[in-house]
Amino acid sequence: MDKIIKAHKAEYGVKPDVIASAPGRFHLCGEHTWFFRDKTLSMAVNLPVYVAASKNSDSTLKINFIQVDEKKKCHLSSLKYKKEDKWANSVKAIFFGFQACGFNLDGLDITISSDILPQAGFGISTAIKVACAWVVREVCNLKCTDAQIFQVFNKANRQFLNVDNLAADYYATVYSKEDSFVLTDYATKSYDLLPFPFKDKTVLLTDASVPRIVTWNEESLLQPENVLLLGELKNRKSNVYGGWAYEEDSSEVNEVLSVASEETKHRLQCIMYEHKSVLDCVKAIKNNDFAWFARAVSKSHEHLRDLYEVSCPEIDWIIKRIQELDEHPDDLRTPVNCGRITGKGFGRGVYSILRNQDIEKYKERLCEYERIFGFTASTYEVKPAGGVHLL
């Protein structure tokens, strides 16, 4: 708080009128399944982004990101996406979204503070957008409901940033509570909060620092014909969360997916397995059964690695070291630690949920990682956090 107030006053000559804080977040499983109306399990974490704002008199948007040591300026009447603006596009997108939804905005001076930078892949860009939306609504005194703000997010993403609007990102950042998971159901466009039961464990996020090199275009999978194929394999089941599950008979699955190419078939199978992983995680959370939860997480990583092909040798090496922390790593029935790639894939993010006694051992393994691969991994010990709020 002191840092951002001091920086804001130094840059703009006044103290901020409003400061908002929004949490970082990561997805535990299901983040690649939204297009198929499946489910995503997420966690907001105490890696906060702070956004401070005050009005100015010249209808301009001025932005100062403290840790990046960059400043941007543009007029509200000529907001444009510029590749070179990187992080600043997230802020401009929110102003664009409000205007596209019919709101009149004042010129604002904005200061951003975040110890974790957006490229780490832990939801920092989303946190910037959400915190900006909250300060804009407050400073400009907008009569704007949360439902309307979600319309702002939608227009900001689709029309300004030209990216998909992923509800799980925003539900986690807006509605999360401390000590909770956030479960997004894309079929019903709703979310649930599940209590975090594993009190004897520590959650670590690891930025593997691997440059993200995309090896295939996920957009190629997100086609209506693939939605129809998986729709044929959905069965109503009253005894599972959400009321349905995918067909598990391999002959039936192979017959329905036989019209797809081998690569597409594998990736659609991964979507199906991911849905089951989410359901297994939900059941394990409700039963406080960490071994069950860990098995589902491990299976999820294997499917993303082998079928969806979004992992890389560096990430897989880290996951293997996590598994080796168990006394009996070959006993797959009762794992006491787990980890998985998280985010878009192709590098960068890993989460792990570890016994407290294994944290230092894990960090020692990451020293080996740097010697082997040449990348310096950064770790963050995190806890489930509450959603966006004004300070």
Side-chain angles (χ1 to χ4, degrees):
M1 285 285 288
D2 290 340
K3 180 191 294 185
I4 197 168
I5 291 171
K6 182 178 179 181
H8 192 89
K9 187 173 182 181
E11 180 66 21
Y12 304 114
V14 296
K15 289 185 177 181
D17 298 322
V18 175
I19 302 174
S21 174
R25 62 100 191 97
F26 70 99
H27 300 304
L28 289 97
C29 55
E31 67 266 46
H32 296 280
T33 69
W34 64 272
F35 189 78
F36 301 92
R37 295 169 62 82
D38 288 2
K39 301 169 181 65
T40 303
L41 184 65
S42 312
M43 183 189 292
V45 293
N46 56 332
L47 297 177
V49 169
Y50 297 97
V51 174
S54 57
K55 286 187 180 182
N56 62 46
S57 58
D58 52 5
S59 298
T60 60
L61 170 60
K62 302 170 191 170
I63 322 166
N64 175 30
F65 196 151
I66 298 173
Q67 286 78 9
V68 179
D69 194 23
E70 286 184 3
K71 302 175 179 65
K72 300 291 181 181
K73 179 180 178 181
C74 56
H75 199 278
L76 293 182
S77 62
S78 57
L79 294 172
K80 293 181 180 179
Y81 176 88
K82 295 181 180 179
K83 186 176 181 179
E84 63 270 19
D85 281 351
K86 299 179 181 178
W87 57 268
N89 286 314
S90 295
V91 181
K92 292 191 293 182
I94 292 301
F95 279 76
F96 172 90
F98 273 111
Q99 293 182 145
C101 288
F103 292 100
N104 295 318
L105 302 183
D106 301 306
L108 293 187
D109 297 331
I110 300 282
T111 301
I112 300 171
S113 179
S114 172
D115 291 332
I116 313 299
L117 299 183
Q119 61 264 31
F122 299 136
I124 302 304
S125 292
T126 299
I128 289 173
K129 285 183 276 190
V130 170
C132 279
W134 253 245
V135 299
V136 168
R137 178 168 64 175
E138 184 72 11
V139 173
C140 297
N141 195 27
L142 303 179
K143 305 302 181 184
C144 177
T145 65
D146 285 1
Q148 288 173 306
I149 280 193
F150 273 80
Q151 294 177 9
V152 169
F153 295 147
N154 186 52
K155 291 184 181 296
N157 287 317
R158 295 188 184 279
Q159 297 181 21
F160 190 85
L161 297 172
N162 195 30
V163 297
D164 295 310
N165 191 62
L166 304 185
D169 292 353
Y170 294 94
Y171 285 154
T173 309
V174 173
Y175 295 124
S176 178
K177 303 295 183 183
E178 291 185 4
D179 294 322
S180 295
F181 294 102
V182 181
L183 179 61
T184 298
D185 189 336
Y186 280 94
T188 59
K189 297 181 180 178
S190 62
Y191 73 94
D192 278 335
L193 298 179
L194 304 176
F196 180 81
F198 310 127
K199 305 301 184 182
D200 59 337
K201 306 288 183 180
T202 297
V203 182
L204 288 177
L205 296 181
T206 300
D207 179 357
S209 299
V210 182
R212 185 173 281 121
I213 301 174
V214 177
T215 58
W216 66 277
N217 183 6
E218 193 172 16
E219 295 291 327
S220 64
L221 188 70
L222 309 184
Q223 304 300 326
E225 57 267 28
N226 292 331
V227 174
L228 293 175
L229 286 176
L230 290 193
E232 292 185 43
L233 295 168
K234 291 182 177 181
N235 297 326
R236 292 189 179 277
K237 289 192 175 182
S238 59
N239 62 336
V240 301
Y241 178 89
W244 66 272
Y246 281 112
E247 175 64 58
E248 295 188 13
D249 184 283
S250 58
S251 60
E252 178 70 15
V253 172
N254 288 330
E255 182 177 346
V256 172
L257 299 184
S258 62
V259 298
S261 69
E262 198 65 19
E263 283 186 349
T264 298
K265 178 182 175 181
H266 287 165
R267 288 161 187 164
L268 292 177
Q269 286 176 321
C270 181
I271 298 296
M272 297 171 65
Y273 290 138
E274 274 291 276
H275 184 259
K276 185 177 188 306
S277 291
V278 172
L279 295 182
D280 286 345
C281 283
V282 170
K283 190 175 291 187
I285 290 166
K286 291 181 176 179
N287 292 328
N288 193 9
D289 188 334
F290 183 80
W292 194 348
F293 178 88
R295 290 196 301 270
V297 167
S298 296
K299 281 290 186 185
S300 177
H301 181 79
E302 290 172 12
H303 295 143
L304 290 176
R305 179 193 67 203
D306 300 335
L307 298 176
Y308 214 68
E309 299 179 288
V310 292
S311 192
C312 61
E314 294 87 350
I315 296 291
D316 296 335
W317 187 93
I318 292 174
I319 298 299
K320 185 66 173 176
R321 303 294 83 76
I322 292 170
Q323 295 168 346
E324 290 173 352
L325 294 173
D326 288 15
E327 284 86 356
H328 307 287
D330 295 327
D331 182 0
L332 302 180
R333 296 168 298 175
T334 57
V336 295
N337 298 300
C338 67
R340 176 189 176 276
I341 190 172
T342 186
K344 294 180 179 179
F346 308 109
R348 296 308 294 246
V350 173
Y351 75 85
S352 53
I353 304 180
L354 307 177
R355 295 182 299 184
N356 296 332
Q357 67 211 59
D358 290 329
I359 294 173
E360 290 307 315
K361 296 177 187 176
Y362 174 67
K363 292 180 178 179
E364 289 172 7
R365 298 295 179 89
L366 291 182
C367 293
E368 297 176 34
Y369 168 82
E370 183 173 0
R371 289 196 298 270
I372 294 170
F373 295 103
F375 300 118
T376 301
S378 302
T379 59
Y380 307 94
E381 184 174 323
V382 297
K383 296 180 180 180
V388 61
H389 56 281
L390 297 176
L391 302 173

